[in-house]
Amino acid sequence: MNRRHFLHTSAALTAASFTGHAHSHHHADEAPFEAAVNQSPLPEHPLISGSGEFRYQYVPDKLVLPLEVKMRNGHGLCLDTQGNIYFTFEPEHVDEQTRCLVRFAADGTGAELLGPNNSLAHGVPHGLNIHIDKDGHAVLYHANNDATVHKTTLDGQILWTQKWTPQMGNYKPTDAVVPPAGDRVVVADGYGSSMLHVLKAADGVYAGKSWGGLGSAHGELNCPHGITYDPRRKLLLTADRGNKRLEYFTVNGFYQSIVEAKEITAPCNADIRGDHVLVPDLDGPLVILDGDNKVVSVIEVGKLLGDHGFRHPHDAIWLANGDIAVCTWNPGRLGYWKRLV
């Protein structure tokens, strides 16, 4: 299974205590909107990057968005059990027809805008994860920087929305994911308190547990931008972007260990397939780790395609066939990389 299927909970903290722990600090995703890139034609020769078993070629005619999409920033990706690809983004503006959730077929074709109305497009749509319960039912969790988390069907029908009040402190969610038990949602408050908060999956109500907080010591976080469940270790893996590392916690919120590498300088998320981890880095590359969390390949998205808008990888997922989908932040782009065998 790939990332965005599970998650966790932990460390008790009352809602009132959040205010004391909240810190307001600037992050890259909150930078001013960048003007459109003047794109030059793609080179005629194939764009290939990576090493060893993990070499990839950019395929420009896949993951093509509908013409009506006007994207400001690219944000979240996930995959369902049929291999369909889901993508959410921040639109340039919101009108009655605006939709911010797109589904592609497993081969990267057939883009379809989802949702009965524009409700998901308000605020700043950000992290996107899927959870499949024991009965095989699948739902999506949408983290929105506007103090909001949505739970929807795969077609974008909202099941519940929870928006925190100012009394809960500085709260700007960047990701939300569900652990194997399925009854809790762990929210990465990347642009707010730098904490991880636990909600009830049934209704999104705060479950009374949080941990982390701004800092660089073990167990502290500085922009926990993305979070996933690592089935290899049965631990939560957090992209601690401001500290240039990945950080492991138990599902009860206790710090376990960190993952660091010179190639990882601004990790945004992590996706797991078999023994390997895919880490999109805002500074430009996709980094692939092996079963020991050692770097085995680097796909230089920013270096190869930066002139075409693919500057800042914000999320990336393994596809069912081993290929990779990646979205970049600003300017928003969506790209397909085919694995070479």
Side-chain angles (χ1 to χ4, degrees):
M1 300 296 288
N2 76 311
R3 152 182 160 233
R4 328 305 168 98
H5 290 181
F6 310 108
L7 210 46
H8 123 262
T9 80
S10 181
L13 194 64
T14 63
S17 68
F18 285 160
T19 304
H21 286 276
H23 299 269
S24 176
H25 47 291
H26 182 82
H27 295 298
D29 280 23
E30 295 170 334
F33 178 58
E34 180 177 304
V37 175
N38 293 321
Q39 296 186 52
S40 55
L42 286 168
E44 294 183 2
H45 60 81
L47 295 178
I48 296 173
S49 189
S51 58
E53 301 176 42
F54 296 97
R55 295 175 64 250
Y56 290 81
Q57 179 177 335
Y58 174 60
V59 181
D61 60 352
K62 291 194 174 187
L63 296 181
V64 178
L65 291 164
L67 291 176
E68 59 265 42
V69 167
K70 305 300 180 185
M71 174 167 46
R72 178 177 180 178
N73 297 327
H75 278 155
L77 285 159
C78 65
L79 200 72
D80 69 18
T81 56
Q82 304 302 310
N84 298 311
I85 303 158
Y86 295 77
F87 172 56
T88 192
F89 59 92
E90 179 187 3
E92 289 183 1
H93 64 274
V94 179
D95 59 31
E96 187 176 348
Q97 303 304 316
T98 303
R99 302 292 185 272
C100 68
L101 180 63
V102 189
R103 178 168 57 211
F104 295 87
D107 63 356
T109 65
E112 177 187 7
L113 290 170
L114 305 174
N117 52 47
N118 64 6
S119 296
L120 294 173
H122 293 283
V124 183
H126 203 273
L128 184 68
N129 280 294
I130 190 169
H131 177 71
I132 301 162
D133 64 24
K134 295 176 182 178
D135 296 325
H137 298 120
V139 293
L140 295 171
Y141 289 90
H142 309 245
N144 190 302
N145 293 168
D146 188 24
T148 300
V149 175
H150 302 283
K151 179 180 180 178
T152 74
T153 66
L154 295 188
D155 289 327
Q157 296 272 356
I158 292 178
L159 300 173
W160 56 248
T161 294
Q162 280 294 345
K163 184 178 177 69
W164 280 22
T165 64
Q167 287 77 11
M168 296 297 281
N170 187 25
Y171 180 65
K172 297 180 179 180
T174 49
D175 208 6
V177 68
V178 176
D183 61 345
R184 294 291 185 266
V185 184
V186 180
V187 177
D189 190 12
Y191 297 155
S193 64
S194 279
M195 302 187 79
L196 304 179
H197 305 301
V198 183
L199 311 181
K200 298 176 183 178
D203 53 16
V205 172
Y206 176 58
K209 293 186 178 182
S210 299
W211 64 92
L214 184 63
S216 58
H218 295 321
E220 295 179 336
L221 301 161
N222 182 359
C223 185
H225 187 271
I227 186 165
T228 191
Y229 178 79
D230 186 344
R232 305 170 308 166
R233 290 164 170 74
K234 296 181 173 58
L235 296 170
L236 299 174
L237 184 57
T238 302
D240 187 11
R241 194 168 76 186
N243 286 322
K244 303 180 179 182
R245 67 192 183 189
L246 306 174
E247 197 158 32
Y248 275 111
F249 293 91
T250 69
V251 295
N252 295 314
F254 295 100
Y255 166 78
Q256 287 292 297
S257 60
I258 62 173
V259 178
E260 294 178 300
K262 61 181 176 57
E263 295 86 353
I264 297 175
T265 58
C268 285
N269 224 311
D271 193 29
I272 299 161
R273 183 175 188 263
D275 290 333
H276 293 88
V277 185
L278 175 63
V279 181
D281 193 290
L282 202 68
D283 286 340
L286 303 180
V287 181
I288 297 176
L289 310 177
D290 64 12
D292 296 320
N293 287 332
K294 303 299 181 184
V295 176
V296 293
S297 185
V298 177
I299 305 167
E300 297 288 4
V301 173
K303 289 182 179 179
L304 289 174
L305 287 171
D307 290 343
H308 304 277
F310 289 84
R311 295 181 178 175
H312 306 293
H314 190 274
D315 204 358
I317 56 171
W318 304 103
L319 302 183
N321 60 3
D323 295 348
I324 288 173
V326 56
C327 67
T328 57
W329 159 59
N330 187 330
R333 296 288 188 271
L334 186 61
Y336 191 106
W337 289 77
K338 179 178 177 60
R339 187 172 178 179
L340 301 178
V341 292

